[in-house]
């Protein structure tokens, strides 16, 4: 895959403990919504045993001007150095990679089951589909502890007037600790929640993306509901 360098424009907090990094899009870089890049820090002041390269899904849709990467900010050397980047600094990108992209046939709905920072490729896919006015039913089930923890929540809460074939279902599992109001679903994503919005669970193509334990639980739930493995696509997001 080609290598590029991308210059940081600005960074911002998009949820508690989660930051988005907006880079200038390198000339010649093209990608499909849902793909990812190998990202390498250039001469960081600190490193660790895992080295200076990690993989990030593009949170930005291909039509957007900025190249957006997002991550939970943790205690690793890589994340400390990423958080410390200032505008004008650059990273290396090896991209694009991955096949976690929207299926081509529009007869089968696309259903995304995601949680936490696993939402990054979902944002890319959904915003691109809405931009392209795809005549395909898309549903996003997005689980977090509380609204304060929920990255890109406003971006995904697109109105039915703007995107009549798109449905967003946010759900919070720990509203007791939240200081904000929430009018959406509560509790973990389960079969009963899916059936509120999907008449026949065996028809859609499902995209499972998030922490490994969540992906495994969603896969088990779908298989027990009669969904064939050919209709299930998975991508795990591990911490680093």
């Amino acid at each position: 895959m080609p290598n590029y360098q991308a210059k940081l424009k600005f960074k911002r907090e998009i949820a508690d403990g989660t930051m988005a990094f907006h880079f200038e899009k390198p000339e010649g870089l093209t990608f499909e919504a849902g793909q990812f890049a190998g990202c390498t820090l250039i001469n960081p002041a600190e490193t660790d045993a895992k080295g200076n390269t990690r993989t990030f899904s593009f949170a930005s849709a291909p039509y957007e001007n900025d190249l957006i990467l997002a991550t939970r900010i943790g205690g690793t050397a890589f994340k400390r150095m990423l958080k410390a980047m200032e505008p004008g600094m650059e990273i290396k990108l090896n991209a694009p990679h991955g096949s976690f992209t929207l299926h081509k046939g529009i007869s089968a709905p696309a259903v995304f089951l995601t949680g936490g920072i696993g939402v990054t490729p979902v944002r890319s896919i959904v915003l691109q589909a809405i931009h392209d006015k795809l005549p395909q039913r898309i549903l996003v089930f997005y689980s977090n502890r509380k609204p304060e923890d929920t990255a890109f929540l406003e971006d995904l809460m697109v109105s039915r007037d703007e995107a009549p074939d798109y449905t967003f279902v946010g759900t919070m599992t720990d509203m007791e600790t939240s200081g904000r109001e929430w009018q959406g679903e509560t509790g973990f994503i389960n079969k009963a929640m899916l059936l509120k919005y999907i008449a026949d669970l065996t028809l859609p193509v499902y995209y499972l993306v998030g922490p490994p334990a969540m992906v495994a639980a969603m896969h088990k739930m779908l298989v027990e509901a009669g969904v064939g493995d050919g209709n299930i696509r998975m991508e795990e997001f591990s911490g680093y």
Side-chain angles (χ1 to χ4, degrees), residues 19-174:
M19 294 189 70
F21 299 82
H22 289 244
F23 293 88
E24 295 178 5
K25 190 180 292 185
E27 185 176 352
L29 173 60
T30 60
F31 64 95
E32 289 187 65
Q35 289 190 301
F36 65 90
C39 303
T40 302
L41 300 175
I42 300 173
N43 300 320
E46 183 184 2
T47 188
D48 57 32
K50 292 186 178 181
N52 299 324
T53 300
R54 303 290 191 277
T55 57
F56 286 88
S57 290
F58 294 116
S60 46
Y63 77 88
E64 293 183 287
N65 292 327
D66 289 358
L67 197 65
I68 306 173
L69 307 177
T71 186
R72 300 283 195 207
I73 298 300
T76 66
F78 184 96
K79 289 191 175 182
R80 283 194 293 271
M81 294 298 96
L82 183 65
K83 183 180 180 181
M85 286 186 66
E86 296 295 339
M89 296 177 69
E90 295 183 329
I91 62 170
K92 293 180 180 178
L93 300 175
N94 182 265
H97 298 277
S99 57
F100 194 78
T101 55
L102 193 63
H103 62 276
K104 302 303 181 186
I106 64 172
S107 59
V111 177
F112 293 87
L113 308 182
T114 188
I117 201 59
V119 77
T120 50
V122 180
R123 180 192 185 277
S124 178
I125 293 169
V126 166
L127 265 60
Q128 188 66 42
I130 293 172
H131 175 267
D132 294 343
K133 294 181 167 48
L134 293 184
Q136 179 174 10
R137 190 175 183 212
I138 296 175
L139 301 94
V140 172
F141 294 80
Y142 183 22
S143 175
N144 286 274
R145 292 177 59 249
K146 53 188 177 180
E148 294 92 327
D149 299 333
T150 307
F152 298 121
L153 179 59
E154 291 77 14
D155 290 352
L156 291 168
M157 293 180 70
V158 178
S159 72
R160 295 301 296 271
D161 291 338
E162 184 178 348
D165 295 314
Y166 171 64
T167 302
F168 175 75
V169 183
T171 184
M172 305 297 161
T173 64
D174 192 16

Side-chain angles (χ1 to χ4, degrees), residues 157 168-172 175 181-187 193 197:
M157 293 180 70
F168 175 75
V169 183
T171 184
M172 305 297 161
M175 281 303 298
E181 291 187 1
W182 176 248
Q183 302 300 322
E185 297 280 356
T186 56
M193 186 182 295
Y197 302 89

